[in-house]
Amino acid sequence: MQKKYVGLRLICQVLFLITTLFIGYKFYQFAAVLSQGVIPITQRPPGVEAFLPIAALTSLKYFFINYVVDPIHPSGLLIFLFIVLTAFLVKKSFCSWVCPIGFLSEILSKLHSKLFKKGFRIYPGIDFVLRSFKYFLLAFFLFAIFYTMNPMVLKQFIFSSYNIVADIKMLKFFTDISVTVLVSIVFLVMMSIIIRYFWCRYLCPYGALLGIVGLLSPFKVRRDFSTCTACKKCDRACPCSIIVSEKNTIASDECFACGKCVDACPEADTLFISLPKKKLKLSPLAIACMMVAIFAGGSFLARSAGLWHNGVTNQAYLTAMLENNLIDVNKVANMDTFVSNLDKRGKRLLMMKLIRERKE
Ligand code: SF4
Ligand code: SF4
Ligand code: SF4
């Protein structure tokens, strides 16, 4: 039996993790220079917008209303569409082939297997109730953005200074971590060791959305019952507790398209990811190439079309940071340079801030 999916998937996950870390590092440098009141020499990496799913949803609504990509977080919307496309093609493949959180969850699930030798699974009824929580969260966000936000409020939000620096705020969320956030992260990590894929399975609204879109995907795990020996090795291998051995097509919204069941099957040509009627079986290499083509190719095309970088100037960033208290004026290295880097509104804001501080 050849373990094909596991190896290629790991390479794919590591590649995307390295890309994410690189983007994170470049963005950290960019934000650190700006917070000193200085204009950075390097450009902001647009890929960081992958971590702004709320901004992506507001951009999507903005696109539906105005038929233009929002100029503040354009790549956020495009990355969101790339991710949805992966689910439309091959289930929640994004989760097991690309997402760094999914990768971390998989590593933690290995730790779970080491600690709980006999395995530990939640009672199916409780599991079902808990799984519905991520759909409630998704419904909440969709309702809040697509139903309650009127076009005027949407526009105000998109062009607000808060939205402009949403990515820098997110970065600060981790770099200036509060005790509450730290405790929450530790809690989630611990829970992911005790209950495999705790965050992904029960809480992630993104995963919920991909699960729903994945119901439409033509590529699914399929079983040839004529050669299946009912050994149930596929059931034991599935991280999503799907009973693969009893279905000919895995339609579940939980399927990650990870291929673990396919790898575990001892019978040749019995379990595979394909179109209906065994047509076009997807090899692991084909899925890996699909992922790279969608994200690398998609970003290349978006760059060529001028839709990748946002239209926010560095001066506008400085003003928005000032407005959102992301610059400590007392720690600015050179006040003259800072003032000269600000636009009119920024200068006004700075003056008000200094007057307020002097009064205090
Ligand atoms: S469920 Fe969410 S966090 Fe988990 S792998 Fe999928 S997108 Fe990433
Ligand atoms: S059914 Fe197979 S491909 Fe889908 S999650 Fe389970 S092991 Fe992975
Ligand atoms: S591992 Fe293969 S042979 Fe065994 S039950 Fe699953 S599909 Fe059938």
Side-chain angles (χ1 to χ4, degrees), residues 221 234 237-240 242 244 250 254-262 273:
V221 173
C234 47
C238 180
C240 302
I242 298 169
V244 184
I250 305 302
E254 292 294 330
C255 179
F256 283 162
C258 63
K260 283 188 178 177
C261 54
V262 181
I273 298 175

Side-chain angles (χ1 to χ4, degrees), residues 10 72 84-85 157 159 202 244 272 281 316 337 354:
L10 182 64
I72 308 299
V84 171
L85 178 63
F157 172 78
F159 292 94
Y202 302 129
V244 184
F272 35 81
K281 288 180 190 162
T337 314
L354 291 174

